[in-house]
Amino acid sequence: MKKINLGGSGLQASAVALGIMRMDALTTTDAAKVIETAVTNGVNYFDSADIYGQGKSGKVFGEALQQSSVKREDIYIQSKGGIIVSPERSHGSEVFGKRYDFSKQHLIDVVDQELQHMKIDYLDTFLLHRPDPLMEPEEIAEAFNTLQASGKVRHFGVSNFNPRQIELVQHYTKQRLLINQLQFSIMHTGMIDFGMHVNMTDPRSINHDGGVLEYSRLHDMTVQAWSPYQYGMFAGVFIDNPKFPELNTKLQEIADKYKVTKNAIATAWILRHPAQIQVILGSMNPQHITESLAGAEVDLTKQEWYDIYFAAGNDLP
């Protein structure tokens, strides 16, 4: 498995990590098999969030980790916090039931809860999970200081932040923000589209995120790509989806060349970008995990990368 220098920190993290959002649906035994499958194939990085499975995902992960043969000190464990999901406020809509809270005490409580759920003593990294418009960076700084001084969190980052939001938090925090977790896949390419449509007026020329990919490269922040096989906002997977026949034909053609699966090629496509993006897998199927991780060993040519980009319905000026 290829390694990346996480945020220039010296942490050698696997180029592909495993996200445990769906682990709440597994038994402890099955979850332990998932963890061991990932580690056997070179993964040393696991991503969670306090809201995954309403907290159950972290609990299952913790129990499974203890049952597995994997040692805590051999892996990196990351979690995220700041989103509050309140069913009583939902009024039948998940949107209404979701709020944000970046107060000092809430962030500290989130970490304490995650450590308890996972049965561990510290998180390697903790991310602010989506920007809170009411965030007070001074409070965030106090929370980070407390968490780091107590040994409960070693490194920090953000998720789904634009450059100015990152700058706002970084101005007040002494800990360098190493990571920005962002949605990126063959079918979610806004971060790179606008850069190829400079000085144009077509829809792809719109800069929706403030040049966050270029910002991340300039500041040695690692971009973690979530939903690497999804299109839209959790609309579904594009692999083997009849809505995308041209893309799947091209993925299969290249997969046949490298003797891997289409999932592996979708992984390799993200890793081919020179920004050293880390891919976050979300599968809980050991076979799918193994197949997808094979993409870390595939080095696509530049023209193959463009062939896939075009097959996804993109264009160039």
Side-chain angles (χ1 to χ4, degrees), residues 18 34 37-38 281 283-294:
L18 185 70
V34 165
T37 298
L281 299 186
S283 176
M284 292 290 103
N285 182 311
Q287 180 181 344
H288 290 168
I289 291 171
T290 301
E291 292 173 349
S292 299
L293 291 175

Side-chain angles (χ1 to χ4, degrees), residues 2-15 44-45 76 155 176-179 216 219-224 275-278:
K2 298 174 183 175
K3 296 291 194 300
I4 60 171
N5 181 4
L6 197 74
S9 66
L11 274 68
Q12 294 300 304
S14 51
N44 68 358
Y45 206 95
Y76 299 116
H155 303 280
R176 196 167 70 81
L177 301 174
L178 304 182
I179 298 160
S216 299
H219 291 80
D220 292 324
M221 290 188 76
T222 292
V223 170
Q224 294 178 333
Q276 296 288 297
I277 296 170
Q278 186 182 38

Side-chain angles (χ1 to χ4, degrees), residues 102-105 107-108 136-150 156 169 172-175:
F102 281 7
S103 65
K104 174 184 177 180
Q105 193 58 53
L107 295 177
I108 292 173
E136 298 177 64
E138 298 92 341
E139 276 205 64
I140 295 172
E142 290 178 11
F144 283 8
N145 289 340
T146 299
L147 290 168
Q148 188 175 62
S150 66
F156 298 87
V169 174
Y172 290 88
T173 54
K174 66 179 183 181
Q175 300 84 2

Side-chain angles (χ1 to χ4, degrees), residues 38 55 68 83 98 104 121 136 152 169 172 185 190 210-211 220 222 232 238 247 275 282 290 295 300:
S68 75
I83 296 177
K98 187 179 292 183
K104 174 184 177 180
D121 297 324
E136 298 177 64
K152 294 177 181 179
V169 174
Y172 290 88
S185 74
D220 292 324
T222 292
F238 55 81
L247 173 58
T290 301
L300 297 176

